[in-house]
Amino acid sequence: MTEDVFSPLSIEQIMGDKHFVVPSFFKPDKFGSKVSYVENSQGIYADALKIKVNPDGTFSGTGRGPGDIAVHKSKEWAFQHEYRFVLYILPTPGPISDFLQSDSAFASYSNHIAVSLAKGQGPELQYFDVDIDPQKLQQMKVTLGPMATTAEKTIVESLLQDYCGHKNVSDSRLQGTIRARS
């Protein structure tokens, strides 16, 4: 049985010096999906990951898959009709190649990830870029936030024209219904 494998990332991007991207994108239905708008998104996030420290110092845990966690949002936002791509990026102590020489070295690598997750510590990244197909950018539609000004709309239109070749911008349906905080 053969299947085409899709990856928007190179192997170097997946296995970084201080991070590892879980390749959930090998199955496109796990990489992106429409957002599900629910009554209690906080409950989903609160139950997302349960890590238990065992008496011998090892960890065990259960949790939802990253693609399931990241696609839930409160019903108030349903007007957005969002689609999200999910990258699950784990913190690592160094390149995985440094930890493949023995079982104990790999256990150290895995333990670092578990300890980081238990402490709520993510990878040492400020951002993670993924290239976008220029043809898809030409089809992009931008909906401004309800507080966007005319000047901000002009800036967005200008950027879209320069980088995407169009000005497909619409105002939020909530424009004029939300007041600024004082």
Side-chain angles (χ1 to χ4, degrees):
M1 178 173 131
T2 62
E3 292 183 28
D4 290 336
V5 175
F6 165 78
S7 175
L9 306 175
S10 68
I11 196 72
E12 292 80 16
Q13 288 174 300
I14 293 170
M15 297 180 183
D17 287 341
K18 298 290 256 177
H19 72 272
F20 176 75
V21 180
V22 177
S24 58
F25 41 77
F26 287 167
K27 293 185 175 183
D29 63 317
K30 301 294 183 195
F31 177 47
S33 68
K34 290 181 179 181
V35 170
S36 176
Y37 300 96
V38 297
E39 290 293 333
N40 182 11
S41 61
Q42 292 305 314
I44 290 170
Y45 298 131
D47 294 334
L49 182 63
K50 302 289 184 195
I51 295 178
K52 176 184 166 195
V53 180
N54 300 315
D56 65 356
T58 61
F59 290 83
S60 60
T62 59
R64 294 175 175 264
D68 186 38
I69 298 167
V71 295
H72 291 89
K73 199 168 178 180
S74 296
K75 279 192 175 194
E76 293 82 11
W77 297 100
F79 68 91
Q80 292 183 322
H81 305 288
E82 291 174 87
Y83 190 93
R84 288 190 179 170
F85 295 97
V86 179
L87 289 176
Y88 189 40
I89 305 176
L90 299 172
T92 64
I96 193 169
S97 57
D98 293 352
F99 296 88
L100 296 177
Q101 60 272 47
S102 70
D103 288 345
S104 63
F106 188 73
S108 169
Y109 182 87
S110 301
N111 192 56
H112 175 85
I113 293 171
V115 169
S116 297
L117 291 175
K119 292 180 178 179
Q121 297 171 340
E124 297 176 12
L125 294 173
Q126 294 297 315
Y127 60 88
F128 192 89
D129 288 331
V130 178
D131 292 334
I132 299 175
D133 181 344
Q135 292 179 343
K136 299 298 181 189
L137 285 176
Q138 293 172 358
Q139 300 170 18
M140 181 171 62
K141 298 174 184 176
V142 175
T143 302
L144 298 172
M147 304 285 294
T149 65
T150 302
E152 290 166 333
K153 182 175 184 177
T154 301
I155 291 168
V156 171
E157 288 174 335
S158 177
L159 288 168
L160 284 171
Q161 186 63 49
D162 288 351
Y163 294 101
C164 303
H166 68 78
K167 295 192 267 187
N168 195 352
V169 178
S170 60
D171 294 319
S172 168
R173 291 189 295 158
L174 296 179
Q175 187 174 30
T177 64
I178 296 177
R179 292 178 280 156
R181 291 184 179 176
S182 44

